[in-house]
Amino acid sequence: MSSLTESRLWATAAASESLRNLTRQRRSSLTRALESASTKSDSNTLPPSTRRPCPFYKLIFPHPVSVAMDAFKYGAIPGVDAYFLSHFHSDHYGGLTASWGNGLIWCTKVTANLVRQKLGVDARWVREVEWGMGTYVGGNSGGDGETLWVHAIPANHCPGSAIFLFERRKGAGGGGGENVLERVLHTGDFRAAPWMLRHPLLSPYIDIIDPETGEKKRKEQWIDTIYLDTTYLNPRYTFPRQSAVISLCAEMCVGIDSGDENWSMRGRAHPKAGLSAHLNKPPVATTTSVVNPHPPGTLLVVIGTYSIGKERICISIARALRSKIYAPKNKLALLSTCLESPLLASLLTPDPLAAQVHMVPLMEIRPEVLSEYLQPLSASSAAGRFTRVVGFKPTGWTYKPPKGAVMPTPTPASSRSTTSPDVGWSPPPELPFTHAHLTPARGSGPVSACYAVPYSEHSSFRELACFVAGVNVRKLVPTVNVGREAGRRSMGEWVERWKAVGERRRRLCGGVAEAGVGVGIGGMGSAWEWEEGKGEGGEEAMFMGQRDWEEPWQGKVEFVGV
């Protein structure tokens, strides 16, 4: 594709995005209500002249099967044969309704459950892509014809979310090798993790057996194009790892609920001040019984969530408090029947008084709303039990880099070890997340406190750097925040820098391709061990990771279809 052609495509996509934003601003609530009532069957029925053109970065393959990714809002797209849905968030499934009939919808099993149950889409339009299985999508499987295959890899985003790897192949064979003509990865929304670079389909190196000698050798594995989730591709969003945020939030909740004097509704108390206050308390007469106004079990924790998403922090805090999780009726039904998580199902309850952890919509996490939420559940009411409420608003957008923080950039390693596969470069430094970062929002008080915490289900800037530099990729296409040319140019500069680091990693690793070295992970093993359950609580750290939500790959890839 020439630079002129690509510039024109971006200009068209940016104009479409600008039109969407302008239209959204101008429409009144009455207009939206009227549209909702009159176009219940959705944009599928709108005349073509009223629809925005689908941006080019949502059209993945022109042949042998034309694929559109998360592009339901554009109605029936001319020439598209397969519509893929990366995960069940409204900004991705928007336009998909019960009246859908424009083509097959390809997604994971959990997402398929949600599409059928919540949206009412007819099951005949839904195709499930299994984890760890190469699935035949279509094409001419006879002779030298071309076929399209897809693999679903957990995206570490929300339940059912997937990274889709497409492979254009020669003929009907599903075994890969020399038959693969092109490999394209669409990340959807994802939070990059080191195990992704050890996945046999994404690893920059794969072990093969030399047919002549029988010896194991290492071979480079390339991805031609990656459509990348660039939500936080900005150095100001080098927020902390997810497990660190979860751990500290859980520690605070347990501390407040148990009466630990090192914790208060305003966060972490200074240990010396807490000890001093304790030592300076006047002696209490032995005949006087002191009634604790906040006995254990009376702290209510309210967590902002989406229709699905943010379950990981809810589960972790509930387990730390040894509590159930309450969700409203409709959400409870969705979580119980669609997500296929025995762990979550065992914790859910329809009784708000039986759970210290409550799920509410993200936008309701405000101090004044929390105070109102507590009233009917408080110990002062007839049937209540709670005396205080803490609310968490978990999103990466709340993150602010500390003053004087140096904006990170991947740094090439100055040297390498010839005995370790973890060579090639050093990832940018990780900023810590400590008690000092837990600051209550304005309006919080001794009974109701609200905390915005940088818990994100998208990749941080640092994680994007590690991922891009760790894979072998020829071209990257941003998919988020692409409406402004200046923004695209800035993202492009970062990506090119990371690709250059990846090239250095390839050169340094090139001489370590002997048998037994393994697939290699581009120097990220020691930097990212926290996601693998090492060094931070073992089983608990693994619980906080992807494995409770998706079936992890088993080190092999199988193929179905044709």
Side-chain angles (χ1 to χ4, degrees):
M1 182 187 298
S2 69
S3 58
L4 179 59
T5 301
E6 189 166 351
S7 297
R8 288 173 177 171
L9 289 172
W10 276 120
T12 302
S16 177
E17 186 72 11
S18 299
L19 177 62
R20 179 175 73 91
N21 293 337
L22 182 61
T23 303
R24 180 181 291 175
Q25 292 170 7
R26 289 180 175 176
R27 285 163 58 199
S28 66
S29 58
L30 176 59
T31 303
R32 289 195 295 269
L34 290 173
E35 286 182 358
S36 176
S38 61
T39 60
K40 192 74 174 180
S41 59
D42 186 64
S43 60
N44 305 326
T45 61
L46 295 177
S49 60
T50 64
R51 299 191 200 119
R52 292 180 293 115
C54 180
F56 77 95
Y57 54 82
K58 289 183 176 289
L59 302 175
I60 311 304
F61 265 97
H63 66 88
V65 177
S66 181
V67 171
M69 180 67 69
D70 298 337
F72 302 95
K73 67 180 68 175
Y74 306 99
I77 304 173
V80 169
D81 305 303
Y83 293 82
F84 275 76
L85 178 58
S86 62
H87 64 288
F88 197 78
H89 280 166
S90 59
D91 55 331
H92 292 256
Y93 69 71
L96 182 57
T97 66
S99 65
W100 179 264
N102 295 329
L104 293 179
I105 303 163
W106 298 76
C107 55
T108 65
K109 181 174 177 56
V110 167
T111 303
N113 292 341
L114 293 160
V115 166
R116 290 188 293 256
Q117 180 167 316
K118 187 170 183 180
L119 301 182
V121 175
D122 193 317
R124 65 192 175 98
W125 293 110
V126 182
R127 294 290 183 273
E128 297 178 7
V129 181
E130 296 184 41
W131 304 115
M133 305 290 286
T135 303
Y136 172 75
V137 179
N140 180 10
S141 58
D144 292 330
E146 294 183 4
T147 55
L148 185 66
W149 296 75
V150 68
H151 305 266
I153 301 167
N156 200 26
H157 178 64
C158 70
S161 60
I163 296 170
F164 285 115
L165 177 70
F166 297 90
E167 292 186 328
R168 182 165 61 89
R169 301 178 177 279
K170 183 187 299 183
E178 300 301 322
N179 288 330
V180 177
L181 302 175
E182 185 179 8
R183 306 176 81 234
V184 173
L185 181 73
H186 197 293
T187 67
D189 287 350
F190 85 131
R191 181 138 194 185
W195 61 261
M196 293 179 180
L197 300 183
R198 287 196 286 269
H199 192 287
L201 293 169
L202 304 181
S203 170
Y205 308 101
I206 54 176
D207 288 335
I208 61 172
I209 302 298
D210 189 313
E212 296 182 358
T213 64
E215 295 180 354
K216 183 184 292 186
K217 293 186 176 181
R218 189 159 69 163
K219 176 185 176 182
E220 288 185 346
Q221 179 172 242
W222 283 84
I223 300 172
D224 293 282
T225 306
I226 294 180
Y227 291 83
L228 185 68
D229 171 17
T230 49
T231 300
Y232 291 115
L233 206 165
N234 184 316
R236 68 172 280 108
Y237 292 115
T238 306
F239 42 73
R241 60 182 185 253
Q242 196 180 77
S243 59
V245 177
I246 290 175
S247 178
L248 196 57
C249 291
E251 180 186 342
M252 183 178 78
C253 292
V254 171
I256 295 174
D257 189 55
S258 64
D260 184 342
E261 59 186 11
N262 288 323
W263 287 99
S264 73
M265 293 291 284
R266 297 198 62 81
R268 178 78 170 179
H270 194 286
K272 291 184 179 179
L275 180 61
S276 174
H278 176 72
L279 294 176
N280 292 330
K281 285 181 180 179
V284 179
T286 55
T287 57
T288 305
S289 61
V290 178
V291 178
N292 183 359
H294 307 295
T298 60
L299 176 69
L300 176 61
V301 181
V302 180
I303 302 173
T305 64
Y306 300 132
S307 57
I308 63 165
K310 316 296 185 184
E311 294 85 4
R312 197 172 293 164
I313 187 171
C314 297
I315 293 174
S316 299
I317 293 176
R319 293 181 76 181
L321 290 171
R322 304 179 186 275
S323 166
K324 293 285 190 177
I325 299 173
Y326 165 77
K329 182 178 179 180
N330 292 340
K331 184 178 179 71
L332 183 70
L334 206 67
L335 299 180
S336 301
T337 60
C338 293
L339 301 196
E340 302 192 351
S341 169
L343 173 61
L344 178 59
S346 69
L347 293 173
L348 291 171
T349 177
D351 183 0
L353 293 174
Q356 280 186 262
V357 177
H358 288 204
M359 292 178 167
V360 303
L362 189 67
M363 292 299 103
E364 292 187 11
I365 302 298
R366 304 192 304 276
E368 64 275 14
V369 175
L370 291 178
S371 297
E372 295 177 5
Y373 189 89
L374 175 65
Q375 288 179 2
L377 305 172
S378 68
S380 60
S381 64
R385 60 171 280 200
F386 302 110
T387 61
R388 295 173 293 178
V389 58
V390 168
F392 290 107
K393 188 174 185 177
T395 170
W397 296 116
T398 67
Y399 179 73
K400 295 181 180 179
K403 292 182 179 180
V406 178
M407 293 298 99
T409 177
T411 305
S414 57
S415 62
R416 66 175 176 132
S417 166
T418 57
T419 61
S420 170
D422 295 342
V423 298
W425 67 293
S426 300
E430 180 185 62
L431 299 178
F433 186 69
T434 66
H435 310 95
H437 297 107
L438 281 175
T439 305
R442 182 177 299 178
S444 298
V447 174
S448 172
C450 178
Y451 290 84
V453 294
Y455 167 100
S456 179
E457 293 172 338
H458 291 267
S459 305
S460 70
F461 179 82
R462 175 181 185 270
E463 290 158 350
L464 287 173
C466 291
F467 182 80
V468 172
V471 296
N472 291 336
V473 58
R474 294 187 171 91
K475 179 181 179 180
L476 283 107
V477 179
T479 62
V480 185
N481 300 326
V482 296
R484 295 174 58 251
E485 183 180 357
R488 296 196 302 272
R489 183 169 57 250
S490 175
M491 289 191 290
E493 291 171 354
W494 280 112
V495 164
E496 289 306 313
R497 188 178 301 187
W498 299 337
K499 287 174 66 178
V501 173
E503 178 61 27
R504 175 174 171 80
R505 181 257 307 155
R506 287 181 58 243
R507 292 198 305 269
L508 292 177
C509 288
V512 197
E514 294 81 9
V517 172
V519 298
I521 55 173
M524 277 176 275
S526 60
W528 274 4
E529 281 188 348
W530 48 268
E531 279 290 359
E532 299 301 321
K534 301 175 185 176
E536 288 208 10
E539 181 183 350
E540 185 68 15
M542 290 175 61
F543 153 74
M544 293 177 182
Q546 181 71 21
R547 293 167 183 160
D548 272 330
W549 287 120
E550 319 291 8
E551 300 174 16
W553 61 276
Q554 301 298 319
K556 62 180 180 179
V557 179
E558 300 177 2
F559 294 85
V560 297
V562 187

